[in-house]
Amino acid sequence: GAGVSQSPSNKVTEKGKDVELRCDPISGHTALYWYRQSLGQGLEFLIYFQGNSAPDKSGLPSDRFSAERTGGSVSTLTIQRTQQEDSAVYLCASSSPGEKLFFGSGTQLSVL
Amino acid sequence: KNQVEQSPQSLIILEGKNCTLQCNYTVSPFSNLRWYKQDTGRGPVSLTIMTFSENTKSNGRYTATLDADTKQSSLHITASQLSDSASYICVVSAKNAGNMLTFGGGTRLMVKP
């Protein structure tokens, strides 16, 4: 596609459930980032994939969060045993190295 | 610690007026600085990029400045329009490898008729 695609656009889940968020980056972009944006807050870095290198997971807030990127393209962010504080917009971005980021429209996650 | 501070946190102006948003950073070694516009419910979109040697760059009604000595950048919006209502985020990139992007907290701009 022409841009970064994220799905679902909205996800409502119950506390304790697992959720999986998907990101389709722009074709050819080797860099992929996940960020989290809580209401009224700035962007919080979660994880970064660059080509075949080991991902930088330094931003993941707990071991309930994990992400993978299959075949250097699609990425999934998984949150296990969701908590209410996980409620936020999860943004995915991709880029060519050193170039500007192209963001998806995000997944609004609401944990009840 | 790399940090990016933006001011003001929020701003309300009347349509047609100008405004200036500020970004101060401590990221080192500096590579570049980008301003992004984020409409409500959307992902950020890049407006401009400033490298070390650039002082001013314009993109339509948006003009970004960079003072690498004082580590300050500004985004000036001329003749504001209602569609300028958005969050403006300053992002600074470090020269070392990897994901060394540091995001500011953003300025929430509201343009009123």
Side-chain angles (χ1 to χ4, degrees):
Chain A
V4 178
S5 177
Q6 291 188 245
S7 61
S9 56
N10 282 282
K11 177 70 176 178
V12 180
T13 189
E14 294 179 347
K15 178 182 174 181
K17 300 288 187 182
D18 297 351
V19 295
E20 192 172 275
L21 313 180
R22 177 187 169 103
C23 172
D24 281 278
I26 291 174
S27 178
H29 281 185
T30 57
L32 186 147
Y33 304 77
W34 281 97
Y35 293 92
R36 179 169 68 174
Q37 189 170 37
S38 302
L39 186 63
Q41 301 298 311
L43 286 163
E44 176 188 3
F45 166 74
L46 297 177
I47 189 169
Y48 165 63
F49 295 90
Q50 174 55 53
N52 296 320
S53 303
D56 181 343
K57 305 179 181 180
S58 61
L60 295 179
S62 77
D63 59 7
R64 296 186 295 104
F65 288 72
S66 63
E68 61 179 26
R69 188 178 185 190
T70 54
S73 181
V74 172
S75 177
T76 55
L77 177 68
T78 301
I79 308 173
Q80 297 177 309
R81 306 181 301 282
T82 52
Q83 304 295 314
Q84 289 183 333
E85 60 263 28
D86 298 336
S87 297
V89 174
Y90 288 81
L91 285 165
C92 174
S94 71
S95 76
S96 295
E99 299 299 316
K100 66 181 177 182
L101 296 175
F102 289 82
F103 284 82
S105 295
T107 294
Q108 173 71 64
L109 175 65
S110 300
V111 182
L112 304 180
Chain B
K1 180 182 177 183
N2 290 338
Q3 287 187 315
V4 176
E5 300 288 339
Q6 290 187 244
S7 63
Q9 287 190 334
S10 63
L11 181 63
I12 301 174
I13 62 174
L14 293 176
E15 185 179 13
K17 298 296 186 182
N18 303 336
C19 68
T20 301
L21 315 180
Q22 300 291 342
C23 173
N24 297 341
Y25 62 93
T26 60
V27 175
S28 181
F30 175 83
S31 177
N32 62 64
L33 181 150
R34 290 185 187 273
W35 283 93
Y36 286 82
K37 178 186 179 187
Q38 185 176 20
D39 292 309
T40 301
R42 306 294 296 274
V45 175
S46 178
L47 293 176
T48 67
I49 178 174
M50 307 290 291
T51 57
F52 187 84
S53 60
E54 295 175 308
N55 300 117
T56 303
K57 183 174 285 186
S58 292
N59 177 6
R61 294 180 297 102
Y62 300 104
T63 299
T65 66
L66 175 68
D67 186 333
D69 292 329
T70 61
K71 298 186 177 181
Q72 296 180 324
S73 176
S74 66
L75 181 69
H76 186 75
I77 304 175
T78 304
S80 61
Q81 300 177 359
L82 298 179
S83 60
D84 293 332
S85 295
S87 289
Y88 292 83
I89 304 171
C90 176
V91 183
V92 183
S93 176
K95 276 187 180 177
N96 39 6
N99 67 309
M100 289 290 109
L101 297 177
T102 306
F103 283 73
T107 293
R108 175 64 189 168
L109 174 65
M110 183 177 295
V111 180
K112 290 193 169 183

